Amino acid sequence: MPETPFETARGLVAAYRAQRTRPSEAVEAALAQVERHEPRVRAFLHLDAERARTEAAAWDRRYAAGEDTPPLAGVPVALKDNLCTRGAPTTCGSRILEGWRPPYDATVVARLRTAGAILLGKTNLDEFAMGSSTENSAFGPTRNPWDLSRVPGGSSGGSAAAVAAGFVPLALGSDTGGSIRLPAGFCGVVGLKPTYGRVSRYGLVAFASSLDQIGPLARDVEDCALLLDAIAGPDPLDTTSARVPPPQARAALGAAPRGLRVGVVTDAFGAGVAPGVAAAIREALRTLEGLGLAIEEVALPTLEAALPAYYLLAPAEASANLARYDGMRYGLRAAGADLVDTYRQTRRRGFGPEVKRRIMLGTYALSAGYYDAYYLRAQKVRTLVARDFERAFARADVVVMPVAPTPAFAIGERAADPLQMYLADVFTIPVNLAGLPGLALPCGFDGGLPVGLQLIGRPFDEATLLRVGHAYQQATDWHRRRPPVA
Amino acid sequence: MIDRDTVEHVARLARLALTEEERERFAEQLGRILEYADRLSALPLDDVPPTSHALPMTNVLRDDAVAPSLPRDEVLAQAPARRDGFFVVPRVFDEG
């Protein structure tokens, strides 16, 4: 112990407490795994091996002395590189923030430090979390550990790949339209987008503030719950963090989900869904039925309209949020002929094509003459999406859809066609628009590539999602499969 | 398709300098995305209120208490240019 870099976080902590192994050994095992496979996977933008070793040695001593230790003491964790880490690089995958070192920690980072986590490094992402493949990073793509010719999904592709490849048992991502769940699905790991407001966004570099939410990635549901418990809860530094009691997610896993009602979204099995994906989801439903859950059919009539609505709302919010990158206070400055030209040249050099495209789209949707036709209309569709879910939750305790219509696509396959790329998010986006929690977990394979099952819950009811997901993983072993690269 | 004057106008609003090639590409791509978004105009939305936020919260207040701010030197250390405890920026107004 640990003979494998695939030990769970809770397994590591139990082994530390029983003095069967030490955090230093786990960190060395993680670094060895990274050294072997990172040159091909490229999950990380920054690694801090030195600091990880120092922190691990400190936890070694505390475990050896039999001291009380916090819940994640000595567990290696990776962070998506749009989460601020004091004094350490935070690039958001963008040239405009290259070299920037935030003067503060994100609240989730501070909470992980308090929980004893060893922050091993920062993971790759689509620039400013805008993308579904991690190809939009200014520092090159991450590759899917299941098939290096394929994307890991995005935008939290580095975090998902790092968990799948055995680099770390836990990672944080962020999810604005599916950016945790899509890469979790593509890489065969577990990812949770919590309810909007469940986790503080302080120190998450803003993309679309009414949709962004930080959440955990792990190799199984129980570890996912453990990480959620470490980061959730109100924060005075984020006024949109909800003042609700903590989820106590891990404690909720014990109760069997027998008798709960599962609502299958019939609209989500139409054209565009790969037959292998539909088959895996149907098989998962049979497993849930075998566990004593009742399967119902529910409708989301606004499902198709959610995608275009999102691609107006999110860029609109992004165009306002990214106005701050003006080359004055931090980040890149490209000197121009005058002040305005300096803004224009800085942003031209600092932003990549997808970020520019979304700033343009959002600026257009908000501009005089187009606001009612695009932005306002999209906000109304958002209302309809939320109503759809309210109706569904009158009949079901958990709503089920695939994570995505297809498994991971090839690198480069959709890069030239933004609309094709956006379609990957068709089943994840409605959940962000309604602010609901969504859990992605592996439920099979299609052509050797993982397929993700998505469970969607009522606001602040992560516990039910995790309970159902945990029971499913007790009955299946998809989450124990390992990618060939590792 | 949206025309290139519109692209240039939006780029000016967004403070983005575009190359000729980008202007052309964005005219085509934004046109296609907006065409896709036009599907929304087929929905009956007249009586539907807009949603700007997923949580029903308004006027979240905090105690009016003094708390430490970020250390000035650490913040300024990240600036492209600084002098005497200030950010240095290009001239905003022309002289005379």
Side-chain angles (χ1 to χ4, degrees), chain A residues 190-243:
Chain A
V190 176
L192 174 71
K193 183 203 92 76
T195 310
Y196 185 86
R198 177 59 100 180
V199 177
S200 168
R201 294 182 296 109
Y202 179 75
L204 166 66
V205 176
F207 160 14
S209 305
S210 82
L211 303 163
D212 297 339
Q213 185 65 191
I214 299 167
L217 293 107
R219 280 191 294 270
D220 68 17
V221 169
E222 190 170 354
D223 262 14
C224 183
L226 180 67
L227 184 51
L228 177 66
D229 282 335
I231 60 170
D235 174 17
L237 296 173
D238 173 7
T239 54
T240 62
S241 69
R243 291 171 197 188

Side-chain angles (χ1 to χ4, degrees), chain A residues 409-434:
Chain A
F409 45 88
I411 290 179
E413 185 183 322
R414 303 194 188 185
D417 187 345
L419 268 178
Q420 276 303 311
M421 185 69 87
Y422 297 170
L423 283 171
D425 301 324
V426 64
F427 299 137
T428 48
I429 273 171
V431 179
N432 299 78
L433 292 178

Side-chain angles (χ1 to χ4, degrees), chain A residues 123-180:
Chain A
T123 58
N124 199 13
L125 68 159
D126 289 295
E127 185 176 0
F128 285 102
M130 296 179 193
S132 310
S133 69
T134 314
E135 291 167 290
N136 294 335
S137 169
F139 307 106
T142 295
R143 290 168 185 273
N144 191 319
W146 289 90
D147 178 345
L148 295 168
S149 72
R150 297 193 178 251
V151 303
S155 65
S156 310
S159 286
V163 171
F167 297 163
V168 282
L170 303 175
L172 289 184
S174 66
D175 190 316
T176 304
S179 283
I180 290 172

Side-chain angles (χ1 to χ4, degrees), chain A residues 75-90:
Chain A
V75 176
V77 179
L79 302 170
K80 189 177 184 179
D81 202 30
N82 59 354
L83 295 167
C84 288
T85 42
R86 184 173 181 173
T90 302

Side-chain angles (χ1 to χ4, degrees), chain A residues 327-374:
Chain A
M328 295 299 121
R329 291 149 300 164
Y330 45 79
L332 179 76
R333 178 187 291 182
D338 54 24
L339 179 70
V340 170
D341 195 44
T342 297
Y343 296 152
R344 288 160 47 91
Q345 298 304 331
T346 297
R347 292 160 67 78
R348 167 196 207 150
R349 284 208 7 218
F351 292 140
E354 180 64 22
V355 172
K356 286 178 186 167
R357 188 153 46 234
R358 296 209 195 182
I359 289 174
M360 292 288 292
L361 186 58
T363 304
Y364 181 86
L366 290 173
S367 65
Y370 300 104
Y371 182 92
D372 286 359
Y374 292 109

Side-chain angles (χ1 to χ4, degrees), chain A residues 86 100-101 103-104 196 210 239-240 243 304-305 307-309 312 327-331 333 339-340 342-345 347-348 353 356-357 359-361 363-364 374 376-377 379-384 387 417-419 422-423 434-435 460, chain B residues 2 6-8 10-19 22 25-26 29-30 32-34 36-41 43 45-46 48-55 57 60-61 70-71 74-75 78-81 87-92:
Chain A
R86 184 173 181 173
W100 181 55
R101 287 169 186 262
Y104 63 99
Y196 185 86
S210 82
T239 54
T240 62
R243 291 171 197 188
E304 258 190 74
L307 189 73
L312 295 170
M328 295 299 121
R329 291 149 300 164
Y330 45 79
R333 178 187 291 182
L339 179 70
V340 170
T342 297
Y343 296 152
R344 288 160 47 91
Q345 298 304 331
R347 292 160 67 78
R348 167 196 207 150
K356 286 178 186 167
R357 188 153 46 234
I359 289 174
M360 292 288 292
L361 186 58
T363 304
Y364 181 86
Y374 292 109
L376 186 64
R377 204 171 272 162
Q379 285 189 311
K380 291 179 169 192
V381 172
R382 191 170 180 183
T383 306
L384 295 183
R387 287 179 184 169
D417 187 345
L419 268 178
Y422 297 170
L423 283 171
F460 301 105
Chain B
I2 58 176
T6 308
V7 169
E8 189 48 42
V10 173
R12 218 169 19 246
L13 292 176
R15 300 284 191 258
L16 268 177
L18 299 182
T19 63
E22 282 174 321
R25 197 171 60 231
F26 285 148
Q29 289 177 338
L30 297 181
R32 285 184 53 220
I33 296 167
L34 291 168
Y36 180 59
D38 279 333
R39 292 179 182 199
L40 302 184
S41 57
L43 296 170
L45 295 170
D46 286 352
V48 180
T51 295
S52 58
H53 207 265
L55 288 181
M57 44 168 54
V60 179
L61 303 176
L70 295 175
E74 276 182 50
V75 172
Q78 299 299 318
F87 294 105
V88 177
V89 303
R91 189 183 302 281
V92 178

